Every structure is written in structure tokens, then in C-alpha cells.
């Protein structure tokens, strides 16, 4: 519930602005007061009349509106809220925020506020992927700006990929989390993600095809429910999510050390694709061909099983331990056996045969194996799998 909470909602000029109307409704249903601010571009997409009617509030628009300055100056306006939310946060608004520009009411409020700011980016996939936007994003993250989304999906412009604004209920969850109110508020969740790299020599390594996408989506979903997330990640292809504590590692051994250092946790989720073996005779210098035609022989040693190690802890075992199982055959039978063998509570199993396109792809089809049996979920975007799983974790810890 958000009763008595005040949200200053900056609506940027993008097609996703229509979703902000629904966001206002959802926030008010939960008891929040919403003070809307429209940029000039936003008025091309939604009208001040509809925004004001839904918010039941005056809509703030121009910086040099003398009446407003007399009633409530822009500095005061930026400080009376409990949280400032920017939805949609366009590429332009993000650039202004990152650069500290203040040339209209929205950007001035964002520079003047002493409250936390949550952005819900929305833009075309190429604009999102552009190095300038990614630079701005990194700057905003370093400035402590919170973020929800964007999601992958079909976009209004006809393209597919990251850039769709998070759905209103996801933004509500992120707002609740930012205000310390999600169902996982006060809980610590430890999450591993990505592949590991096991060195052969200083320049070569053994890796796997895990992109880290499912782990990153899960980290975002857990944080959106208010969890404090420690995100231990191998060298993944996708960036870590906003709002989590990131610990970067390379090898399985380093991952185990980082996991042990992050405990205690209420729940631990092992989404990383950890190499089962490391090279025991890794060379200290780069291996070279010696002209004899003989190939070097690598000797493998088994890596520690991080999931099994944490599952079997006698003292300090997280209340819920979840493993993943990437299988190419007999998914259910293997996952069921794996749950017992590793001693974890749940296994999230998926079929990673190349034909499924799951490893490195944007969708996932999982079977959740618990002590009560197995349930197979439909094929869903990894973001959606993450949200469902995070909700189940919240339910288990409730
Ligand atoms: O045995 P398998 O590698 O299929 O098990 C997968 C699960 O175990 C995943 O949750 C993975 O993160 C975890 N695991 C681990 N440490 C290892 C190998 C796997 O934590 N050395």
C-alpha cells in the first residue's frame, strides 16, 4: 500500500506516455497522491486534461508560470514528494539528467530534488542501444538513480528488442520497493548469474554460452519486490540490473568465495552456468606451438559445486535455496534427480537444446521442480519468467 505517499510523476514525450495514465490510476488505487509534471513533448502524446483528471491534481507544465511560482516554486515542488518517478524516461530526458541540464520544468525539478528518483526508460531499441544512451545510463546509475525496465518486446515503432517501458504494475512494484514496501523488503537474496571463465593460460579460457540474461532479469525482479540483492556474476554478455549490489568474478572458485562472503541470506538463487571443470594444469605463460605438431594435453579438475555447498550448510543455510538446471534431454527426470542430489529446495529446469533458442535468447520455457512436484510454465519472455519466479520466492519467504 502507498497510503499517504506522494509521488511526483514526470511524464516524458514518448508513445509509452499513454501507459502513464494507467500508472496514475494504479498509484491512486493504492492510496498514493500523484503530482504530475508534463514535458512539452509529452503534451503531444497525452493531454494535460486527461492527466489532471486521473491524478485529481493540478498538472505542472511550464517553468516560468508565474502563478505556480507564487503558489509553489519549482524547488519546493521537487521536494514535497516522497519519490520522483520519470515515466516514460525518454532518451532526451535521460541525457538531460545525466548532463545536469535544467532548461524546462521537468529537468529543473530533477536537478533540484533532494528525493530519490526512479526512471522507467522507453525508447526505440537503437536509441536504447546507442553508446550515448548507455553512457548516460551508466552515469545515472552511478548517481544513484533507480531504474525499472525497459523490457524486451515488440515496440510501437515495429521493431523488437529492449526499449519497451515497464508495465504500470511493474513500475508500481518498483515504487513500492523504492519506498521500502515490496513483499521482499528487508530480505537479502543472493543470486549468481552468467558463465564462468576457467583459464587455460593468461590469454585463453574455457567458457559456455550463458548470456546472463535470465539471471539479470531475476535480479531486477527481486529488487523490484524490495529485496536487497547481492548479484554475483561471471563475465556475462548482458549488463547487471540496476538496484543490486554487483560482485564480479571470473572463475567458479572465485564465485564460491564471493557467495560465501555474501552470506547470510534469506534466499540464494544459483542461476549461473558454472563450469564443472577447471584446467588443473593452466599455464602461467601463454602456451606456444613448439613446431613438433604435438597438441598440449589439458588436465581437468572438478570445480566446487556452489549450489550443493550452500544447500548442505548446517549453519547459516538460506531458508530457500534454488538451483537451475540447463538440460538437453530428459529435463524433468534430470531436474528431479538434481534437486535431491544437490540438496536444494527448488530446481528451475530448462531445455537448452540449440533448437529451442533459449541459451542466449530472450525467451525461456521452464519447469519448476519443488518437493511438491513439477509445474511447467508456458514459453515466456525471460523478464516474465523472472517476475513469476520472484513472486514465488516472495511467497516462500512470507
Ligand atoms: O550440475 P549442474 O551444473 O547441471 O547444476 C546446475 C545448477 O548448479 C545451477 O543452479 C548452477 O548455478 C549450480 N552449480 C553450481 N556450481 C557448480 C556447478 C553448478 O553452483 N560447480
Amino acid at each position: 500500500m502507498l497510503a499517504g505517499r506522494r509521488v511526483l510523476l514526470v511524464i516524458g514525450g514518448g508513445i509509452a506516455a499513454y501507459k502513464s495514465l494507467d500508472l496514475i490510476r494504479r498509484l491512486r488505487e493504492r492510496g498514493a497522491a500523484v503530482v504530475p509534471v508534463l514535458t512539452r513533448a509529452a503534451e503531444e502524446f497525452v493531454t494535460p486534461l486527461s492527466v489532471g483528471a486521473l491524478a485529481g491534481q493540478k498538472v505542472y507544465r511550464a517553468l516560468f508560470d508565474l502563478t505556480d511560482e507564487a503558489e509553489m516554486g519549482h524547488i519546493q515542488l521537487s521536494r514535497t514528494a516522497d519519490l520522483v518517478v520519470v515515466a516514460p524516461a525518454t532518451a532526451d530526458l535521460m541525457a538531460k539528467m545525466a548532463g545536469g541540464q535544467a532548461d524546462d520544468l521537468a529537468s529543473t525539478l530533477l536537478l533540484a530534488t533532494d528525493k530519490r528518483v526512479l526512471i522507467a526508460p522507453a525508447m526505440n531499441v537503437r536509441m536504447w542501444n546507442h553508446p550515448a544512451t548507455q553512457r548516460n545510463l551508466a552515469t545515472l546509475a552511478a548517481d544513484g538513480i533507480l531504474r525499472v525496465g525497459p523490457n524486451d518486446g515488440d515496440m510501437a515503432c515495429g521493431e523488437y528488442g529492449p526499449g519497451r517501458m515497464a508495465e504500470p504494475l511493474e513500475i508500481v512494484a518498483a515504487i513500492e520497493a523504492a519506498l521500502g514496501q515490496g513483499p521482499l523488503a528487508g530480505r537479502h537474496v543472493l543470486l549468481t548469474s552468467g558463465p564462468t571463465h576457467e583459464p587455460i593460460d593468461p590469454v585463453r579460457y574455457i567458457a559456455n554460452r550463458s548470456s546472463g540474461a535470465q539471471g539479470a532479469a531475476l535480479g531486477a525482479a527481486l529488487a523490484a519486490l524490495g529485496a536487497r540483492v547481492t548479484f554475483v556474476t561471471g563475465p556475462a554478455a548482458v549488463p547487471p540490473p540496476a538496484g543490486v549490489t554487483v560482485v564480479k568474478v571470473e572463475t567458479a572458485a572465485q564465485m564460491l568465495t564471493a557467495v560465501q562472503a555474501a552470506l547470510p541470506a534469506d534466499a540464494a538463487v544459483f542461476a549461473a552456468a558454472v563450469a564443472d571443470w577447471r584446467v588443473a594444469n593452466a599455464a602461467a605463460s601463454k602456451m606456444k606451438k613448439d613446431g613438433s605438431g604435438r597438441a598440449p594435453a589439458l588436465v581437468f579438475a572438478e570445480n566446487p559445486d556452489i549450489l550443493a555447498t550452500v544447500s548442505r550448510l548446517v549453519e547459516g543455510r538460506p531458508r530457500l535455496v534454488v538451483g537451475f538446471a540447463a538440460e538437453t534431454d530428459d529435463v524433468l527426470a534430470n531436474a528431479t534427480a538434481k534437486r535431491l542430489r544437490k540438496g536444494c529446495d527448488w530446481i528451475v529446469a530448462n531445455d537448452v537444446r540449440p533448437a529451442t533458442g533459449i541459451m542466449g535468447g530472450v525467451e525461456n520455457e521452464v519447469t519448476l521442480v519443488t518437493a511438491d512436484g513439477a509445474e511447467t510454465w508456458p514459453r515466456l519472455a525471460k523478464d516474465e519468467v523472472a517476475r513469476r519466479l520472484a513472486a514465488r520466492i516472495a511467497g516462500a519467504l512470507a
Side-chain angles (χ1 to χ4, degrees), residues 296-380:
L298 299 182
V299 178
F300 289 95
E302 199 164 320
N303 269 332
D305 191 314
I306 306 166
L307 168 63
T309 305
V310 172
S311 296
R312 299 242 145 75
L313 282 176
V314 179
E315 246 174 67
R317 183 192 192 275
R319 245 200 307 146
L320 180 71
V321 180
V322 182
F324 275 65
E327 303 286 352
T328 51
D329 353 63
D330 275 338
V331 177
L332 187 56
N334 283 330
T336 306
K338 192 167 288 180
R339 194 184 81 84
L340 298 173
R341 195 169 67 243
K342 303 250 190 181
C344 57
D345 302 299
W346 299 352
I347 283 275
V348 182
N350 50 16
D351 183 344
V352 294
R353 277 174 304 163
T356 64
I358 283 174
M359 212 144 188
V362 294
E363 290 184 331
N364 205 352
E365 187 175 332
V366 307
T367 300
L368 179 63
V369 182
T370 71
D372 299 329
E375 57 184 87
T376 299
W377 296 355
R379 194 173 171 114
L380 299 164

Side-chain angles (χ1 to χ4, degrees), residues 24 57 81 113 116 193 196 263 302 352 369 394 396:
I24 295 173
Q57 278 271 355
T113 190
R116 296 222 286 171
S193 183
T196 63
L263 290 171
E302 199 164 320
V352 294
V369 182

Side-chain angles (χ1 to χ4, degrees), residues 54-72:
L54 284 166
Q57 278 271 355
K58 174 180 171 55
V59 179
Y60 292 87
R61 298 157 67 187
L63 180 54
F64 298 109
D65 181 327
L66 288 180
T67 326
D68 289 346
E69 285 298 314
E71 281 174 6
M72 180 187 282

